[in-house]
Amino acid sequence: MNNDINTLNTPNNSKVAAGAILLVAGSLLLINQFDLFFIPDWLFSWPMWMIAWGTYMGAKYNFRKPSWIIVTLIGVAFLLNENIPDADRVVWPLAIMAFGAWMVVKPRKHTEEQIFNQPKQPFHFDNTTEPGV
Protein backbone atom coordinates (compact mmCIF):
# COMPACT_ATOMS: atom_id res chain seq x y z
CA MET A 1 0.00 0.00 0.00
CA ASN A 2 1.45 3.34 -1.06
CA ASN A 3 0.43 6.36 1.00
CA ASP A 4 2.75 8.74 -0.81
CA ILE A 5 0.83 11.89 -1.79
CA ASN A 6 3.22 12.78 -4.62
CA THR A 7 2.49 9.56 -6.49
CA LEU A 8 0.07 10.32 -9.28
CA ASN A 9 -1.53 7.57 -11.30
CA THR A 10 -2.31 9.37 -14.55
CA PRO A 11 -3.21 7.45 -17.68
CA ASN A 12 -1.16 8.07 -20.80
CA ASN A 13 -3.81 9.46 -23.14
CA SER A 14 -1.36 10.25 -25.93
CA LYS A 15 -0.60 6.56 -26.58
CA VAL A 16 -4.29 5.72 -26.65
CA ALA A 17 -5.04 8.57 -29.08
CA ALA A 18 -2.11 7.66 -31.34
CA GLY A 19 -3.16 4.02 -31.34
CA ALA A 20 -6.76 4.89 -32.16
CA ILE A 21 -5.70 7.18 -35.02
CA LEU A 22 -3.38 4.50 -36.43
CA LEU A 23 -6.12 1.85 -36.19
CA VAL A 24 -8.61 4.05 -38.04
CA ALA A 25 -6.07 5.08 -40.70
CA GLY A 26 -4.94 1.48 -41.25
CA SER A 27 -8.52 0.26 -41.48
CA LEU A 28 -9.41 2.90 -44.05
CA LEU A 29 -6.30 2.14 -46.10
CA LEU A 30 -7.13 -1.57 -46.07
CA ILE A 31 -10.74 -0.93 -47.10
CA ASN A 32 -9.47 1.34 -49.87
CA GLN A 33 -7.10 -1.37 -51.18
CA PHE A 34 -9.85 -4.00 -51.34
CA ASP A 35 -12.34 -1.58 -52.96
CA LEU A 36 -15.05 -2.75 -50.57
CA PHE A 37 -16.62 0.68 -50.17
CA PHE A 38 -16.31 3.97 -51.98
CA ILE A 39 -13.76 6.07 -50.13
CA PRO A 40 -13.19 9.58 -51.50
CA ASP A 41 -9.69 10.58 -52.59
CA TRP A 42 -9.59 13.60 -50.30
CA LEU A 43 -9.68 11.30 -47.27
CA PHE A 44 -6.03 10.33 -47.89
CA SER A 45 -4.75 13.76 -48.89
CA TRP A 46 -2.07 15.67 -47.00
CA PRO A 47 -4.57 18.17 -45.47
CA MET A 48 -6.37 15.25 -43.84
CA TRP A 49 -3.05 14.11 -42.36
CA MET A 50 -2.65 17.62 -40.92
CA ILE A 51 -6.12 17.39 -39.42
CA ALA A 52 -5.28 13.99 -37.93
CA TRP A 53 -1.98 15.32 -36.57
CA GLY A 54 -3.76 18.32 -35.01
CA THR A 55 -6.32 16.01 -33.41
CA TYR A 56 -3.53 13.83 -32.05
CA MET A 57 -1.74 16.87 -30.62
CA GLY A 58 -4.96 17.98 -28.95
CA ALA A 59 -5.60 14.57 -27.43
CA LYS A 60 -2.01 14.34 -26.23
CA TYR A 61 -2.38 17.44 -24.05
CA ASN A 62 -6.10 16.97 -23.24
CA PHE A 63 -6.98 19.82 -25.63
CA ARG A 64 -5.44 22.43 -23.30
CA LYS A 65 -2.75 23.84 -25.60
CA PRO A 66 -3.97 25.89 -28.58
CA SER A 67 -1.44 24.55 -31.08
CA TRP A 68 -3.74 21.69 -32.12
CA ILE A 69 -6.44 24.16 -33.18
CA ILE A 70 -4.05 26.02 -35.46
CA VAL A 71 -2.77 22.85 -37.17
CA THR A 72 -6.30 21.47 -37.58
CA LEU A 73 -7.69 24.72 -38.99
CA ILE A 74 -4.84 25.02 -41.48
CA GLY A 75 -5.57 21.45 -42.60
CA VAL A 76 -9.28 22.24 -42.94
CA ALA A 77 -8.51 25.41 -44.92
CA PHE A 78 -6.26 23.54 -47.37
CA LEU A 79 -8.77 20.69 -47.64
CA LEU A 80 -11.58 23.10 -48.53
CA ASN A 81 -9.27 24.96 -50.90
CA GLU A 82 -8.39 21.76 -52.81
CA ASN A 83 -11.91 20.33 -53.06
CA ILE A 84 -14.16 23.36 -53.61
CA PRO A 85 -13.62 25.49 -56.72
CA ASP A 86 -12.82 29.14 -55.98
CA ALA A 87 -12.84 28.47 -52.24
CA ASP A 88 -9.56 30.34 -51.75
CA ARG A 89 -11.40 33.62 -52.28
CA VAL A 90 -13.35 33.01 -49.07
CA VAL A 91 -11.36 30.49 -47.01
CA TRP A 92 -8.16 32.47 -46.47
CA PRO A 93 -9.77 35.79 -45.51
CA LEU A 94 -12.01 33.90 -43.06
CA ALA A 95 -8.99 32.04 -41.67
CA ILE A 96 -7.10 35.30 -41.14
CA MET A 97 -10.16 36.87 -39.49
CA ALA A 98 -10.62 33.84 -37.22
CA PHE A 99 -6.97 33.95 -36.16
CA GLY A 100 -7.26 37.68 -35.40
CA ALA A 101 -10.43 37.13 -33.37
CA TRP A 102 -8.72 34.33 -31.45
CA MET A 103 -5.77 36.63 -30.64
CA VAL A 104 -8.15 39.32 -29.35
CA VAL A 105 -10.31 36.99 -27.26
CA LYS A 106 -7.71 34.64 -25.76
CA PRO A 107 -6.88 35.32 -22.11
CA ARG A 108 -3.56 36.93 -21.31
CA LYS A 109 -1.11 34.93 -19.25
CA HIS A 110 0.10 36.65 -16.12
CA THR A 111 3.42 35.64 -14.69
CA GLU A 112 4.25 35.79 -11.01
CA GLU A 113 6.60 38.69 -11.70
CA GLN A 114 3.76 40.75 -13.13
CA ILE A 115 1.46 39.94 -10.22
CA PHE A 116 3.85 40.31 -7.28
CA ASN A 117 6.01 43.18 -8.54
CA GLN A 118 3.19 45.71 -8.78
CA PRO A 119 3.64 48.81 -6.64
CA LYS A 120 1.75 48.71 -3.37
CA GLN A 121 -1.11 51.13 -2.94
CA PRO A 122 -0.93 53.17 0.28
CA PHE A 123 -3.77 52.65 2.73
CA HIS A 124 -5.24 55.68 4.48
CA PHE A 125 -7.10 55.15 7.75
CA ASP A 126 -8.89 58.47 7.54
CA ASN A 127 -10.84 57.37 4.43
CA THR A 128 -14.16 55.79 5.30
CA THR A 129 -16.06 53.20 3.35
CA GLU A 130 -19.27 55.24 3.35
CA PRO A 131 -19.68 57.57 0.37
CA GLY A 132 -20.18 61.24 1.13
CA VAL A 133 -18.79 61.20 4.69
Side-chain angles (χ1 to χ4, degrees), residues 56-115:
Y56 167 72
M57 286 173 32
K60 184 176 181 178
Y61 297 109
N62 292 329
F63 299 99
R64 291 186 183 153
K65 295 186 177 186
S67 59
W68 73 274
I69 296 172
I70 296 168
V71 172
T72 304
L73 288 179
I74 289 173
V76 168
F78 276 111
L79 186 67
L80 290 175
N81 199 23
E82 284 186 0
N83 293 309
I84 299 174
D86 267 347
D88 57 342
R89 293 180 45 205
V90 176
V91 169
W92 292 111
L94 285 176
I96 292 170
M97 289 170 50
F99 184 68
W102 174 72
M103 287 179 66
V104 168
V105 174
K106 75 175 184 173
R108 227 176 83 199
K109 292 183 180 179
H110 295 285
T111 61
E112 288 184 19
E113 293 173 3
Q114 292 172 338
I115 295 171

Side-chain angles (χ1 to χ4, degrees), residues 18-76:
I21 289 172
L22 288 175
L23 281 172
V24 169
S27 302
L28 290 174
L29 285 170
L30 187 63
I31 289 171
N32 191 27
Q33 289 298 317
F34 288 139
D35 288 330
L36 296 176
F37 300 106
F38 171 71
I39 297 177
D41 293 333
W42 57 266
L43 195 59
F44 296 107
S45 63
W46 67 269
M48 280 302 290
W49 289 107
M50 281 187 71
I51 294 169
W53 181 254
T55 306
Y56 167 72
M57 286 173 32
K60 184 176 181 178
Y61 297 109
N62 292 329
F63 299 99
R64 291 186 183 153
K65 295 186 177 186
S67 59
W68 73 274
I69 296 172
I70 296 168
V71 172
T72 304
L73 288 179
I74 289 173
V76 168

Side-chain angles (χ1 to χ4, degrees), residues 116-128:
F116 294 115
N117 290 338
Q118 294 178 355
K120 304 232 185 246
Q121 300 294 330
F123 182 76
H124 300 288
F125 286 102
D126 54 344
N127 290 346
T128 61

